[in-house]
Amino acid sequence: MIAPTNKKSEFIAAFSEAIENKTFIRISLGKFRGQGEPSKAVATLVLLKDVPHLKLVTSLARKDETKTFSINDGINHIKAKIGDTYLSATLFAASGDVTLTYSRKREPQLIKNKATLTSAPPVAEHNRAKAYLVAPDRPYLQALQVSDGEGRVKPSMQGKYRQICHFIEIVDGLLKETEAGESPTLSVVDIGSGKGYLTFALYDHLATALKRDCRVTGIEMRGDLVQFCNGLARELGFSGLSFEASEAGKTSAKSADIVIALHACDTATDDAMAFGITADANLILAAPCCQHELAPQLDEPIDGLKGLIKYPLFKQRQADLVTDAARALLLEASGYKVKVIEFVSTEHTSKNILIAAIKSATVDRDLARRQYQNLKTSTGFSTHHLASQLKDD
Ligand SMILES: C[S@@+](CC[C@H](N)C(=O)[O-])C[C@H]1O[C@@H](n2cnc3c(N)ncnc32)[C@H](O)[C@@H]1O
C-alpha cells in the first residue's frame, strides 16, 4: 500500500468537487496491481430512488461486477483502491481531465488536461438505464434467489440473470414493432413457465417499468411450481400476474397479445405457437427446447440430403433444424413475419434459438406454405405437431 500523498488528496478533492458541482462524467481505474484476477474499473453516477449514487463496474476477463455506493462511501472506496489495487486513475469531468499515475517506484504524478468529454450524460436511473432494463435489486429477483438480500446477483445465478436481461431487451425491442406496442393494456400467456423467472421479469417490466395495464398468465403443468409462483405473485403485489396448472394444449386462456414459450419441452412449443396463432397474438416468442417427433421421420430424404442423416449426431441436429425451420415457415404461412435470433450464448446451452413471430399483413403466406411443403418432401417427414394443431398437414 502506498501512503496517501498530496497528489492523491488533490485528485480525490477534484473528484469530490466534480460531483458536487455536477461536472463529473466518470472515473476510470487501471494499471491493476492488486491480488487475484486483473481488472479495470469505471465509476459513474446513477440515481437510486432519486438519490445520486456511485456505481462502480469492475471488468474481469469473463464478467463484470457492479457495486453501488452512496457518494461518500463510493469516494472512500475508490480512494482506497488508488495506489493499491490500481496505479492509474483518470477523472473525466466537464471542467477537465485529471490523471493520477504511479511510476514503478510508486512515485505519484498528477496530470491535468483539457476535458476529453465536455458534457456529463444525464444521470442514469438505476432501474431504467439501457444496460439495466432489469436492475439486479428488483424484489422478485431476490425472492427467486437470483440476487442476494443486498440486490447483488449471486455468482451461481449470473447466467440466469443475463438470460433474463437479454430476454427483456429482446421483448422490449420487438414490442415496438407490433400493434400492441402502443397499447395501454396487454395480455401475455407464457407456456411452460416453470419457476417463473422470465414470467416475473416480463410482468415487472411491463407493469412497473412500462406502466402498462397488463395481465400475464403462466401456464405450467407442474402444480407445485404453479402454487409457488402464485404465492410469490401475491406476496409481491403483482395483481395482474397469475399461474394456471395446465397442459400447454389445454389451457383455459382464450386470448393473448403476446404468447411466449421459453424452453418448454418437446411439442409444448408447438402447442404454444398454435395457441398464439389461434388467439391472433401480435407477438409469439419461442425458444425451442427439444422435439422428438421428427427424428424418426427423416430416414428417407431426397438423395441429395442423405449425407445429412448418415451420422447419428448430424441426424439429430438435422431433426432440430428441420423442426424449427418448419415452425418458422408455418408461422409465416399463418401471417407472421419471422425472425430467428440467438437467445443466450452457446457457452451455456446449445438450445439458444429464439423464434420471434410478429403479426404482419405483408408477409407472403403462399410462398411460406410452398416452402414448408418442399421442406417436408425433401427431408421426408410426414407429420409435424404444429401443422397438425393448425390442421395444415
Ligand atoms: C425448461 S423449463 C423452462 C421454464 C421457463 N420457461 C424458463 O425458460 O425459465 C420447461 C417447463 O415447461 C413445463 N412443461 C413442459 N411441457 C409442458 C406442457 N406440455 N404443458 C405445460 N407445461 C409444460 C415443464 O414442467 C417445465 O417447468
Side-chain angles (χ1 to χ4, degrees):
M1 171 83 183
I2 297 164
T5 62
N6 286 342
K7 286 182 178 148
K8 180 168 172 180
S9 306
E10 206 180 316
F11 180 86
I12 296 297
F15 178 19
S16 309
E17 204 180 296
I19 291 179
E20 218 161 277
N21 61 25
K22 299 191 173 24
T23 57
F24 175 78
I25 295 171
R26 67 167 184 260
I27 209 161
S28 50
L29 305 174
K31 280 174 81 177
F32 179 85
R33 296 292 183 276
Q35 292 185 343
E37 193 186 334
S39 63
K40 293 186 288 192
V42 172
T44 49
L45 283 176
V46 288
L47 287 179
L48 269 184
K49 296 193 178 115
D50 293 331
V51 179
H53 283 67
L54 270 170
K55 183 181 78 176
L56 183 70
V57 179
T58 304
S59 302
L60 300 152
R62 295 172 66 87
K63 61 176 183 190
D64 286 352
E65 283 174 1
T66 302
K67 282 186 183 164
T68 308
F69 301 91
S70 67
I71 296 291
N72 276 345
D73 288 355
I75 292 175
N76 285 332
H77 182 82
I78 289 168
K79 186 176 172 184
K81 297 272 176 198
I82 295 174
D84 179 22
T85 310
Y86 301 102
L87 297 192
S88 163
T90 299
L91 165 71
F92 294 91
S95 48
D97 298 353
V98 185
T99 300
L100 178 66
T101 54
Y102 292 86
S103 68
R104 276 194 193 172
K105 292 183 179 163
R106 302 296 197 258
E107 289 296 330
Q109 192 185 10
L110 195 72
I111 305 158
K112 295 186 180 175
N113 276 313
K114 278 208 312 213
T116 319
L117 307 167
T118 46
S119 65
V123 175
E125 210 171 317
H126 198 53
N127 294 348
R128 294 193 196 118
K130 176 86 178 106
Y132 290 95
L133 276 183
V134 180
D137 58 358
R138 300 299 300 149
Y140 74 90
L141 287 175
Q142 293 173 326
L144 287 169
Q145 306 294 318
V146 174
S147 308
D148 63 18
E150 288 172 32
R152 287 179 305 225
V153 178
K154 294 184 176 180
S156 61
M157 296 303 274
Q158 291 284 349
K160 194 74 199 168
Y161 176 64
R162 272 200 294 276
Q163 186 194 44
I164 292 170
C165 291
H166 194 200
F167 171 66
I168 295 301
E169 273 179 23
I170 290 172
V171 178
D172 196 67
L174 289 172
L175 195 55
K176 296 183 181 115
E177 295 182 38
T178 71
E179 272 181 29
E182 296 296 315
S183 166
T185 60
L186 273 177
S187 61
V188 181
V189 171
D190 175 12
I191 293 183
S193 50
K195 203 177 166 190
Y197 295 106
L198 298 152
T199 334
F200 277 91
L202 185 58
Y203 179 83
D204 191 52
H205 184 68
L206 295 174
T208 316
L210 301 187
K211 306 213 179 315
R212 299 294 172 87
D213 178 4
C214 64
R215 169 99 223 125
V216 177
T217 310
I219 309 295
E220 168 55 53
M221 65 183 189
R222 276 183 53 188
D224 56 333
L225 293 179
V226 168
Q227 202 180 353
F228 166 81
C229 289
N230 274 329
L232 185 55
R234 268 195 304 276
E235 225 172 86
L236 293 166
F238 283 3
S239 56
L241 175 63
S242 63
F243 294 81
E244 175 189 319
S246 166
E247 283 273 346
K250 298 181 185 156
T251 167
S252 67
K254 292 281 173 278
S255 64
D257 299 309
I258 303 176
V259 173
I260 60 178
L262 303 169
H263 300 128
C265 315
D266 203 3
T267 50
T269 300
D270 301 298
D271 288 325
M273 287 176 169
F275 171 75
I277 292 168
T278 311
D280 204 25
N282 291 126
L283 179 63
I284 301 171
L285 277 176
C289 174
C290 47
Q291 209 246 32
H292 305 296
E293 186 189 18
L294 252 56
Q297 300 183 53
L298 299 183
D299 290 332
E300 295 299 332
I302 56 170
D303 277 353
L305 297 183
K306 290 216 162 113
L308 285 178
I309 57 151
K310 188 169 175 184
Y311 309 97
L313 187 57
F314 287 161
K315 186 181 173 194
Q316 186 50 54
R317 299 236 172 128
Q318 167 81 341
D320 291 346
L321 195 60
V322 174
T323 300
D324 289 340
R327 285 168 169 158
L329 290 169
L330 287 165
L331 283 160
E332 279 198 19
S334 305
Y336 286 82
K337 183 175 79 180
V338 171
K339 294 182 185 188
V340 178
I341 43 191
E342 202 173 48
F343 181 28
V344 282
S345 157
T346 39
E347 193 187 314
H348 305 291
T349 169
S350 58
K351 307 288 179 195
N352 71 332
I353 294 293
L354 185 74
I355 299 176
I358 300 158
K359 188 87 191 152
S360 159
T362 57
V363 66
D364 189 340
R365 299 174 65 166
D366 289 338
L367 173 66
R369 205 166 282 124
R370 283 198 302 282
Q371 288 173 332
Y372 172 75
Q373 288 303 334
N374 286 340
L375 182 68
K376 213 173 147 182
T377 315
S378 51
T379 57
F381 72 89
S382 56
T383 58
H384 185 293
H385 192 68
L386 177 56
S388 311
Q389 295 304 100
L390 298 173
K391 306 198 179 7
D392 213 350
D393 258 332

